[in-house]
Amino acid sequence: MPLHVPPAPAPALRSVLTALGSPTAVREARTPSLRAAQGPATPELPLPVHVLDRITAQGLSATRLAGWRFLIRCGDRAVAAAETMLTPDGWAFSHFFEGPYVASTERALQQAEALQQTYQARLLSVPGLYMLTLWLHGDCSGDGAEGHPAATDLLVPLAPAPPGIPTHRPFRVAELLPVLTHRATPLPLLGSPA
């Protein structure tokens, strides 16, 4: 089934294209792969990046949209990613980066294409666990910038993931949430009241 990628805001895409066209922005980026890329680099697969700030014992707190991430493709592979953020003046380029999440995101998107159901692709960051997941949202017609994970949505942990959480395996939100809740809940200190 085809994976639905929501359209990014036009100003976010324009800001990435402007940064890619700027020799200064590319040269100063901490992305050797992007600086060494041969041929044109193009932004593809814009994904809204949602952040889950808190996981409570009752479940997910609301997510918030933190930005849009574009994979930067050169030739047949993604060599880097570009992040945009919302400013008081609208969407703006934030930074380029590379590392394991770029290849892991590309791999997870390819795996998601093979699923039987159509999903809307998003990213869900769980900063408290230093974790990033590909969030496969079941409502393909929904606004990619809004919403929260439904119990039947899929989360695919990207590598590297916290110890004990398998990467590139799709989990229903209802299945992975108890694991994340347990991991994110701080344990009481010894000698403190429970």
Side-chain angles (χ1 to χ4, degrees):
M1 284 285 171
L3 192 61
H4 178 73
V5 177
L13 176 58
R14 277 195 305 272
S15 72
V16 171
L17 289 170
T18 299
L20 279 171
S22 165
T24 304
V26 172
R27 186 174 53 250
E28 292 179 2
R30 295 181 183 164
T31 51
S33 297
L34 184 58
R35 288 194 308 264
Q38 299 295 318
T42 56
E44 294 182 355
L45 300 169
L47 298 172
V49 180
H50 293 262
V51 175
L52 179 62
D53 289 318
R54 277 187 310 116
I55 303 174
T56 65
Q58 294 76 32
L60 294 173
S61 66
T63 62
R64 64 179 168 82
L65 180 66
W68 284 81
R69 182 172 296 171
F70 297 78
L71 292 180
I72 306 300
R73 183 168 303 281
C74 188
D76 62 346
R77 68 182 186 96
V79 296
E83 192 93 13
T84 63
M85 63 183 186
L86 191 57
T87 68
D89 295 326
W91 288 101
F93 171 76
S94 174
H95 61 280
F96 292 115
F97 67 94
E98 62 183 50
Y101 283 134
V102 174
S104 188
T105 300
E106 189 172 41
R107 177 180 169 193
L109 287 166
Q110 290 168 353
Q111 289 174 314
E113 284 283 352
L115 295 174
Q116 296 300 312
Q117 183 177 339
T118 302
Y119 290 97
Q120 184 186 77
R122 304 171 175 198
L123 293 172
L124 181 65
S125 173
V126 186
L129 297 175
Y130 302 101
M131 182 176 178
L132 184 64
T133 69
L134 176 63
W135 169 13
L136 300 173
H137 189 52
D139 181 7
C140 293
S141 63
D143 182 351
E146 296 179 357
H148 62 279
T152 56
D153 287 353
L154 298 179
L155 296 176
V156 182
L158 301 180
I165 297 179
T167 59
H168 297 284
R169 178 179 171 244
F171 292 91
R172 295 244 177 252
V173 168
E175 179 186 5
L176 187 58
L177 181 61
V179 175
L180 299 182
T181 302
H182 177 71
R183 294 261 177 123
T185 305
L187 297 172
L189 296 174
L190 291 177
S192 66

